[in-house]
Amino acid sequence: MDVGISWREVFKGNVGVIALSWILFGVGMSLTIPYFPLYIRMLGGEYIHIGLIGFWSNLISSFLTLLGGYIADVYGRKKIVVYLTWGLVATRFLYAAAPSWEIVLIINIAEACFRMYIPALSAILMDSLPPEKRAGGLLLAGSATIIPGLVFPPLGGYLLDTMGLNGLRLCYIISGVTGCLAAGLRMFMLKETFEVSERPKLSVAIVKAWREYVEGLKESPRGALILIGTTAFFTIPSTAVFRLYGVIYATEVVGLTGSGWGIFTSISNVVSLILSLTTFFILDRFPRKFLLLIDAAARVFLNFILVYPSPYTVLLAVVFSSISHSLTFSVRKALLADFVEKDLRGRLSAVETLSRTFSMSISNLLAGIIYSLNAIFSFEISCIIALLDAICVALFIREPRVKKL
């Protein structure tokens, strides 16, 4: 049976709306995210403060995500996505005016609160794709975020090199403007995918949320819980150092300029986009486990080569990090959806996001401590963790015989 998927099948309806909104958000993110650690440094922050900001924002986000997933399953998906997207957009303008790293910390925590909509958006996306085409569809839709990354990171680096701190502030203003367009698109074009007959009061929903999640976990297949566990204990920690300190390492240890880092980021996005466009229609033909092993191998390699500082190893690491990120998003989300029915998917998606963000929280703090002590040693530790991830995937991950609708 042909399980390929076409462009037309993906970029229609909700999936097309989400992909287009990701492109609009991607413009601002491509200008700002590659330089966020440098922004903290320019506002007076130290290495440990970069990890500290990541720790607090992800810690708060991890618990609010539970409520977000529960609301997605009992109140519907769209409302929470629309309201909180507008809140997220507001933080872009607040970042532009931040006078110190302490204020950035507060804004970052607020941003984490607004990201409570992620389980609902993930549920809409998975609900809108047929089960036999989820991995390819998720990869292709996710590749929409790469498109702005082909052009705008060098522009952000140029503004940083020529205007300094004010250049990055301008980047955040542009991010806010494009975010407004994305939020409007979601508000007017996104369709609800999960209607419920009864909507309990929010106070009742909050009280019930944790109990419902415990019950949901009990109903979840063992395979789904193993997947969530390996992601939290190994996948996320193995990427924390490079995700947080890659630009710091490149500019301070290797000696790249902001524009140079932006060009490397764009090159990695080109490679990732080419990979997405050439594999999305056949991705679901491969076993999910095989793809997870490729992801783990990419993370082992990128951390290993960073032990040897040079522009070439940084470029290779950025490329392999992008490839790994694409596989992590699409394959793990698709495999998780394969395990569970639609009425549990929002809650389990939230539990997955909870474990992932909590892992990111702890990993960010530990990465900050280790990188502050020794940059090279931090990549050696990350390499070992990625290797353990590959071993766990090989030994413990099992795909369901029948994929859920």
Side-chain angles (χ1 to χ4, degrees):
M1 183 178 71
D2 184 10
V3 294
I5 187 168
S6 69
W7 282 79
R8 183 173 296 181
E9 288 178 284
V10 173
F11 291 108
K12 67 177 184 179
N14 281 337
V15 183
V17 171
I18 292 172
L20 182 55
S21 71
W22 279 345
I23 291 175
L24 292 169
F25 270 122
V27 173
M29 290 181 178
S30 296
L31 290 169
T32 57
I33 287 182
Y35 308 102
F36 183 68
L38 290 178
Y39 193 52
I40 296 172
R41 292 279 284 163
M42 295 175 78
L43 291 174
E46 302 294 338
Y47 294 139
I48 189 63
H49 296 145
I50 297 171
L52 189 65
I53 289 173
F55 168 77
W56 281 112
S57 63
N58 281 287
L59 182 65
I60 292 171
S61 177
S62 64
F63 292 105
L64 289 177
T65 295
L66 279 178
L67 181 59
Y70 185 80
I71 291 175
D73 283 346
V74 299
Y75 285 90
R77 329 283 204 206
K78 180 178 176 178
K79 284 186 177 180
I80 186 175
V81 169
V82 171
Y83 293 154
L84 296 185
T85 296
W86 280 110
L88 185 67
V89 170
T91 64
R92 306 294 98 186
F93 296 104
L94 294 176
Y95 277 127
S100 66
W101 75 266
E102 292 91 346
I103 299 300
V104 169
L105 170 61
I106 296 172
I107 298 170
N108 205 246
I109 290 173
E111 179 183 353
C113 296
F114 293 128
R115 289 190 183 277
M116 187 172 64
Y117 75 80
I118 288 178
L121 188 67
S122 297
I124 291 176
L125 186 59
M126 290 187 289
D127 290 345
S128 303
L129 287 168
E132 72 278 3
K133 299 177 180 179
R134 280 188 186 125
L138 287 170
L139 180 62
L140 186 57
S143 69
T145 62
I146 303 173
I147 296 174
L150 305 179
V151 178
F152 291 98
L155 176 59
Y158 173 77
L159 292 174
L160 170 64
D161 291 338
T162 57
M163 299 175 62
L165 181 61
N166 288 333
L168 290 181
R169 293 191 189 280
L170 177 59
C171 289
Y172 277 108
I173 293 174
I174 296 172
S175 178
V177 173
T178 57
C180 287
L181 297 176
L185 184 68
R186 290 178 179 179
M187 182 168 66
F188 294 110
M189 300 297 293
L190 205 59
K191 305 297 182 184
E192 182 60 79
T193 62
F194 190 69
E195 297 289 349
V196 291
S197 56
E198 296 183 4
R199 291 181 170 84
K201 293 181 179 180
L202 182 59
S203 58
V204 175
I206 293 174
V207 172
K208 283 186 170 182
W210 283 95
R211 185 178 65 189
E212 291 286 337
Y213 278 110
V214 171
E215 294 174 358
L217 284 172
K218 290 179 180 178
E219 297 172 10
S220 300
R222 179 172 176 267
L225 299 180
I226 291 176
L227 177 64
I228 291 173
T230 57
T231 301
F233 284 101
F234 300 107
T235 306
I236 299 301
S238 70
T239 63
V241 174
F242 188 65
R243 174 173 42 82
L244 278 180
Y245 296 98
V247 62
I248 301 292
Y249 178 82
T251 55
E252 296 186 1
V253 177
V254 177
L256 290 179
T257 63
S259 298
W261 175 255
I263 291 172
F264 278 16
T265 302
S266 290
I267 292 174
S268 75
N269 287 330
V270 169
V271 173
S272 185
L273 183 61
I274 292 173
L275 181 67
S276 298
L277 298 181
T278 55
T279 61
F280 76 90
F281 59 95
I282 61 171
L283 195 65
D284 284 286
R285 299 178 184 177
F286 292 96
R288 313 274 202 228
K289 182 174 180 176
F290 172 73
L291 297 172
L292 292 178
L293 288 172
I294 292 178
D295 167 39
R299 284 179 280 111
V300 170
F301 179 73
L302 77 88
N303 282 298
F304 176 76
I305 61 175
L306 287 171
V307 175
Y308 307 96
S310 80
Y312 304 105
T313 57
V314 170
L315 175 59
L316 282 173
V318 171
V319 169
F320 275 84
S321 177
S322 184
I323 294 171
S324 172
H325 176 75
S326 296
L327 289 174
T328 298
F329 170 80
S330 58
V331 178
R332 291 176 188 272
K333 290 286 187 182
L335 182 55
L336 193 64
D338 292 343
F339 278 115
V340 296
E341 302 287 353
K342 180 183 288 190
D343 60 348
L344 182 61
R345 197 167 290 151
R347 265 169 283 180
L348 192 61
S349 177
V351 171
E352 184 271 336
T353 305
L354 166 69
S355 65
R356 177 163 45 83
T357 53
F358 187 76
S359 173
M360 288 177 66
S361 178
I362 302 300
S363 299
N364 288 342
L365 186 60
L366 293 177
I369 294 172
I370 298 174
Y371 188 89
S372 298
L373 296 174
N374 190 300
I376 301 300
F377 179 66
S378 67
F379 291 117
E380 293 174 341
I381 294 296
S382 299
C383 182
I384 294 172
I385 296 173
L387 184 60
L388 292 174
D389 191 20
I391 294 172
C392 287
V393 169
L395 295 179
F396 301 115
I397 295 295
R398 297 289 184 273
E399 298 182 45
R401 294 181 179 180
V402 179
K403 298 175 181 178
K404 303 298 183 181
L405 296 174

